[in-house]
Amino acid sequence: MRPTDVQRLTVQETADRYTEMVRAKSATGALAPGTAEVYARDVLTFAELAGPELVLDDLSGADVDEVLLRFARKPDGRRRAPSPTGGGAAARQSAASQARFRRSLSAFFRYAVIAGWVQLNPMEAVTLRAKERGGLGARRRALTTEQAGGLLGAARSMAAAPADAGRRSDQRTELRDALVVLMLAAVGPRVSELTRADVEHFYVNDGVRYWRIFGKGGRTRDVPLPRAVTRVLEVYLAEGRPLLDRGREPQALLLSWRGRRLARGDVQAVIDRVLARVDPDHRRGVTPHGLRHTTATHLLAAATDMDAVRRVLGHSDLSTLGRYRDELPGELEAAMRVHPLLGGDGD
């Protein structure tokens, strides 16, 4: 039941309590760890933007509107705005990030009403409305064959390049970055599955290297790795990972230069570094989830068995694949040229 008296708690106090609650749910298995950390991060960001010393119950819909605007203008340290030289300042928050932040605030204020931190939910008075997305954004769509080839080619070149002896060992992350991009594009894991991967999750059976992926809902799947990925993985384990190993995360496959497990937010920066090496004619920004779309789209376009693609991606239902299947240029024309009712004579 909702408490009779509203507690006059500050924004920071309620954010801290809410963060403790979602992390406790994660520890008991009631909430996925990745989801709990997203909620916690967004609510702590909200406290920073709203004013941590203000009383939560004093915030109005207009105040939350202002927070949403501040978040939209806030630089996203994980992404860089494109520039001709491949650098650029940190980009603003994407539409997807803004929508996620709004969902996190909605969940926070629903809980705040139940906990007795606010009398009324200010989200109900918010006037800002999310833009209609009109389909997937360019960074979330599948890469074309040429774009994917450029990205994978850059990754493989990084893996094959000799180490720069003039740099500190903990700054030599080319092998790791190449492996990240190859695994995302070739296997299509969720970014949380990639960053949770441990060295012991990779094994060899009958000469084939497999990755045991721990996915949603406690489900696991064993995915065979393509030979090109296996070669880079083995070089990374033998030469690249030891340079980053500080003994802090002895099981983690992917390590930061500090020797910590690579964080989810670091993966976009890795992709962007590899993209900077791609020929501008074949370069297009893409997110980790966009690479998951790329895997699904190209496997299905190559007439790979749908159930096999489902198992690679870790979906429980074939119908979910429809969300990951993007249109590729020229594929309808190619399909009609080899029309089965015309015996392949579709011209």
Side-chain angles (χ1 to χ4, degrees):
M1 292 180 62
R2 180 179 168 183
T4 304
D5 298 324
V6 171
Q7 303 175 55
R8 301 279 295 173
L9 299 175
T10 67
V11 173
Q12 189 64 59
E13 288 171 332
T14 57
D16 290 341
R17 293 188 185 190
Y18 183 77
T19 297
E20 290 178 5
M21 183 274 296
V22 295
R23 286 175 175 162
K25 279 192 172 184
S26 171
T28 61
L31 197 64
T35 302
E37 286 308 307
V38 167
Y39 282 163
R41 183 180 69 241
D42 283 345
V43 168
L44 292 174
T45 299
F46 164 72
E48 175 188 342
L49 297 176
E53 300 306 319
L54 296 178
V55 174
L56 187 68
D57 191 45
D58 290 342
L59 298 184
S60 64
D63 294 323
V64 178
D65 274 341
E66 181 61 29
V67 170
L68 292 172
L69 284 172
R70 289 176 184 170
F71 180 80
R73 298 172 185 140
K74 184 176 182 290
D76 186 345
R78 299 171 302 171
R79 301 188 299 120
R80 313 294 290 180
S83 76
T85 60
R92 299 296 176 88
Q93 300 293 330
S94 67
S97 294
Q98 293 178 52
R100 185 212 67 233
F101 184 70
R102 189 188 185 99
R103 290 193 299 271
S104 295
L105 291 196
S106 295
F108 168 67
F109 276 111
R110 284 196 300 269
Y111 182 82
V113 171
I114 296 171
W117 299 340
V118 295
Q119 298 179 62
L120 299 173
N121 187 343
M123 293 299 292
E124 296 176 359
V126 165
T127 59
L128 291 178
R129 293 288 176 261
K131 294 181 180 179
E132 294 295 329
R133 294 191 61 187
L136 291 171
R139 292 172 64 88
R140 291 172 65 86
R141 287 200 308 269
L143 297 178
T144 65
T145 301
E146 292 77 12
Q147 292 165 346
L151 180 63
L152 293 175
R156 295 170 78 170
S157 295
M158 288 173 66
D164 184 353
R167 297 171 61 195
R168 286 169 38 187
S169 62
D170 60 11
Q171 295 175 338
R172 299 176 200 166
T173 59
E174 289 83 1
L175 267 174
R176 185 207 63 192
D177 292 355
L179 180 63
V180 166
V181 167
L182 287 168
M183 292 176 75
L184 284 171
V187 184
R190 301 174 179 92
V191 66
S192 58
E193 295 170 343
L194 179 66
T195 55
R196 285 202 301 263
D198 289 343
V199 173
E200 64 183 13
H201 297 165
F202 297 82
Y203 65 94
V204 177
N205 183 32
D206 197 22
V208 178
R209 173 81 75 164
Y210 285 80
W211 176 15
R212 176 159 293 172
I213 303 175
F214 291 79
K216 283 186 173 181
R219 295 188 296 269
T220 63
R221 61 189 188 276
D222 290 4
V223 178
L225 298 179
R227 290 181 181 177
V229 180
T230 296
R231 286 194 290 269
V232 175
L233 172 65
E234 290 174 349
V235 175
Y236 169 73
L237 290 175
E239 302 175 14
R241 189 181 179 281
L243 295 176
L244 304 172
D245 188 5
R246 303 288 179 272
R248 296 171 179 171
E249 298 278 356
Q251 302 302 322
L253 173 71
L254 301 171
L255 297 172
S256 71
W257 64 271
R258 289 190 174 93
R260 303 285 189 186
R261 183 183 296 272
L262 200 68
R264 292 175 49 154
D266 297 329
V267 175
Q268 183 64 58
V270 169
I271 296 172
D272 290 344
R273 279 197 296 273
V274 180
L275 272 172
R277 297 171 177 248
V278 178
D279 184 321
D281 291 339
H282 295 153
R283 183 192 303 160
R284 202 205 77 201
V286 67
T287 63
H289 203 68
L291 290 178
R292 183 167 165 83
H293 275 267
T294 299
T295 303
T297 295
H298 287 274
L299 286 176
L300 291 171
T304 307
D305 178 73
M306 288 185 66
D307 190 59
V309 179
R310 175 192 68 78
R311 289 158 58 197
V312 167
L313 296 181
H315 290 305
S316 58
D317 196 308
L318 275 175
S319 62
T320 312
L321 283 180
R323 298 206 308 264
Y324 290 85
R325 175 69 167 94
D326 296 333
E327 183 179 337
L328 291 174
E331 65 176 336
L332 293 183
E333 292 80 358
M336 296 307 284
R337 282 198 297 271
V338 292
H339 199 296
L341 298 181
L342 299 174
D345 185 19
D347 291 336

